[in-house]
Amino acid sequence: MQRTVGADTMELGRQETAKDTEQRRDLEDRFLRGVNQGLSPGARSADSVALTTFDSEWLDTWAAPGNDTRRPCRACGHTFRLGDQVHLRHDEHGRLIEVLHHSSRLPCSGRIPSEDVVDPSAVEAFYCGLGETAPPVPGPPTTRMPTEDSAIPENGRRRCFVCAQTLRRGEAVVVCPCSPDFARCTMTVHHDPANGLDCLRQWQPDLKVRVCPLTHDTRRQT
């Protein structure tokens, strides 16, 4: 019995030759490249810009070829959120080998014009003015994540306990939601409805945490 492979024929059960292996890998590479292009808007070349969607293989974190460990952006240490614009780099076979944030607030790709990069001091001034004029967010007291850029911590950036995304500069959060007035731990949850990040309300609709998820202690509500 024979089957056709391209222009060649190969007997079933015959050991794969070097040429067969090369053809198979070429087909696999072209297939994977087609999948990547279909799932990643804008991903059409070795260097391209794309938006992060539910189907993006780098959503939240990603693993480079040959590495089973998924990691956030290597430049800033932040996760890849839905809607994040990223810069993609592929090798000559179409395999994705690098994903970096590519936006004015996270210019990790190094390809954002300097005049378009957001100045951290401007972000800080904006939120300072917002805090002075806008009414406070209902619920426990919030704090803004530091706006200044800093080196990636050795153990990675802190994440929201609910959505598991890294906490970005300027976002409003509640530290120790079980005891926000006298924080007993560093567990942090987004409470920033203005930015569409009201994780605390999604977790506890009445904004009160009655049982600590870390110690399982019952908290007295005032």
Side-chain angles (χ1 to χ4, degrees), residues 15 17 24 48 68 78 82 95 106 112 148 180 190 220:
Q15 186 174 2
T17 65
R24 175 174 56 79
S48 57
D68 295 331
H78 284 298
L82 284 174
R95 291 174 298 190
L106 293 173
I112 299 294
E148 67 274 6
H190 282 119
R220 179 181 299 176

Side-chain angles (χ1 to χ4, degrees), residues 87 123 130 209:
H87 184 270
V123 176
L130 183 65
V209 180

Side-chain angles (χ1 to χ4, degrees), residues 3-28:
R3 67 175 179 178
T4 301
V5 181
D8 300 327
T9 60
M10 181 174 65
E11 294 183 1
L12 291 178
R14 179 170 63 82
Q15 186 174 2
E16 186 178 64
T17 65
K19 184 177 181 180
D20 297 331
T21 301
E22 182 179 355
Q23 287 181 331
R24 175 174 56 79
R25 289 178 175 173
D26 179 63
L27 287 172
E28 290 174 349

Side-chain angles (χ1 to χ4, degrees), residues 50-53 58 79-86 101 106 168:
L51 289 178
T52 304
T53 70
W58 60 85
T79 51
F80 300 102
R81 298 181 184 177
L82 284 174
D84 277 354
Q85 186 167 272
V86 297
H101 286 108
L106 293 173
R168 299 184 182 179

Side-chain angles (χ1 to χ4, degrees), residues 8-164:
D8 300 327
T9 60
M10 181 174 65
E11 294 183 1
L12 291 178
R14 179 170 63 82
Q15 186 174 2
E16 186 178 64
T17 65
K19 184 177 181 180
D20 297 331
T21 301
E22 182 179 355
Q23 287 181 331
R24 175 174 56 79
R25 289 178 175 173
D26 179 63
L27 287 172
E28 290 174 349
D29 288 337
R30 283 189 288 169
F31 173 77
L32 290 175
R33 185 167 191 171
V35 170
N36 287 333
Q37 291 179 348
L39 296 180
S40 307
R44 294 292 182 269
S45 63
D47 291 310
S48 57
V49 175
L51 289 178
T52 304
T53 70
F54 278 112
D55 294 319
S56 300
E57 62 179 288
W58 60 85
L59 179 61
D60 186 40
T61 56
W62 85 290
N67 190 338
D68 295 331
T69 302
R70 297 183 64 88
R71 300 184 185 280
C73 178
R74 69 169 178 80
C76 67
H78 284 298
T79 51
F80 300 102
R81 298 181 184 177
L82 284 174
D84 277 354
Q85 186 167 272
V86 297
H87 184 270
L88 308 177
R89 190 161 63 89
H90 300 80
D91 64 13
E92 65 274 15
H93 301 293
R95 291 174 298 190
L96 183 61
I97 58 175
E98 186 175 61
V99 183
L100 295 172
H101 286 108
H102 181 75
S103 67
S104 58
R105 295 190 65 173
L106 293 173
C108 307
S109 67
R111 297 168 182 262
I112 299 294
S114 58
E115 61 270 19
D116 293 336
V117 176
V118 173
D119 183 356
S121 61
V123 176
E124 186 172 6
F126 169 79
Y127 283 118
C128 181
L130 183 65
E132 294 176 352
T133 58
V137 178
T142 61
T143 184
R144 291 280 176 188
M145 292 299 296
T147 55
E148 67 274 6
D149 286 322
S150 59
I152 301 173
E154 182 178 351
N155 296 323
R157 294 191 182 276
R158 290 168 61 183
R159 296 188 180 220
C160 172
F161 177 78
V162 176
C163 71

